[in-house]
Amino acid sequence: YIYETNAIAYYVGNNQLRGATLVDQAHIQQWVSFADSEILPAACTWLFPCLGLMQFNKQSCEKAKEDIKKALTVLNSHLLTRTYLVGERITQADISVFCTLLSLYQHVLEPAFRKSYENINRWFTTLMHQPQFKAVVGEVVLCEKMAQFDAKKFGELQKKGKDVKEKGGKAKEEKPQKAKEEKKKEKPKQEVEEAELPDETELALAQEPKSKDPFEKFPKGTFIMDEFKRVYSNEAEKVSIEYFWNKFDKENFSIWYCEYLFPQELTLVFMSCNLISGMFQRLDKMRKNA
């Protein structure tokens, strides 16, 4: 993917817009950068309060006006002997600088202000009457009276933006809530359907006779395994072993000592643990009695 406006403009442009020679290409990039760094920041600082997009700061606004004047002076001097910024045809330099100046010419560059920049005015009006420019930006109406900061308009726009944001937040909260309620309604239906229509596996399992616990008829015994585990975990080995032999129920329990047939495979502790765990899983019915 290609992103950033200047990169996209370069990609979609033709050789004329990009520049025929390396020198022209460098000059075009020079003016594109000039628009981005020298005009655009000051234009936003001046314009945004006038459009109600940000709070007015007199000091910042006055500085922005001076920065715009400096940039326009440079541009006006360059266009004194030129129809276009680079070469004898429209290039990306003209497009970029024109678009950066467009809002200024529409809102704040009133006739008295722009009177000193005749060369820029000539260049700007030439471009805005080109069919290709009109197709994109439409009919451009030049500013007749400099826009000013309107505190009332700013307050209304801020309130409107806040209301939209709050409504959006409420809508987002309501949607998940509705989705949850719908899921709750659907879930019992699904459970009923599943209960009413058991699959083949469930039917087969239901037909099999239930296995009986082989130790069901055995007496429970007096040795309580959980109590021994508690002593073994919290007391010294000597105490826990003594407890084991004192409480061990010989009538109902037995002790087994096992050796693995392939001890060479038990070189690491986790290997032994895995085998023991596997054995316990297969002897699950002895879990309460072993």
Side-chain angles (χ1 to χ4, degrees), residues 44-190:
C44 293
T45 304
W46 184 6
L47 274 171
F48 284 1
C50 298
L51 300 176
L53 301 177
M54 62 183 288
Q55 184 60 266
F56 174 73
N57 183 296
K58 185 176 181 180
Q59 186 176 356
S60 299
C61 190
E62 291 301 323
K63 184 180 182 303
K65 287 182 182 180
E66 293 302 317
D67 290 341
I68 291 295
K69 287 179 180 179
K70 291 177 183 178
L72 293 179
T73 300
V74 172
L75 199 56
N76 195 63
S77 298
H78 180 77
L79 289 169
L80 178 62
T81 58
R82 296 175 177 86
T83 305
Y84 303 109
L85 290 174
V86 180
E88 300 301 324
R89 293 178 178 274
I90 294 173
T91 64
Q92 185 60 48
D94 298 290
I95 297 172
S96 295
V97 177
F98 174 89
C99 290
T100 308
L101 290 173
L102 179 59
S103 295
L104 291 170
Y105 266 92
Q106 289 175 318
H107 298 286
V108 292
L109 298 187
E110 61 186 6
F113 190 99
R114 64 177 185 261
K115 184 179 180 180
S116 303
Y117 309 105
E118 293 180 356
N119 301 324
I120 301 177
N121 296 334
R122 168 182 47 79
W123 165 83
F124 189 88
T125 53
T126 299
L127 294 179
M128 77 181 199
H129 288 118
Q130 298 297 315
Q132 296 87 345
F133 280 74
K134 281 187 175 182
V136 177
V137 300
E139 291 289 340
V140 178
V141 179
L142 300 179
C143 172
E144 291 297 327
K145 184 179 180 181
M146 186 182 294
Q148 301 292 333
F149 175 72
D150 187 340
K152 184 179 179 181
K153 181 180 179 182
F154 174 74
E156 290 174 353
L157 288 173
Q158 291 297 309
K159 185 180 178 182
K160 185 178 179 181
K162 188 177 180 181
D163 292 342
V164 170
K165 190 175 181 181
E166 288 177 355
K167 287 180 181 178
K170 288 180 180 178
K172 287 179 181 178
E173 290 175 3
E174 288 174 0
K175 285 182 180 179
Q177 187 65 27
K178 288 182 179 179
K180 286 180 181 178
E181 291 176 359
E182 290 176 359
K183 284 184 179 179
K184 285 181 180 178
K185 291 178 181 178
E186 292 175 359
K187 196 172 181 181
K189 292 181 181 179
Q190 291 176 354

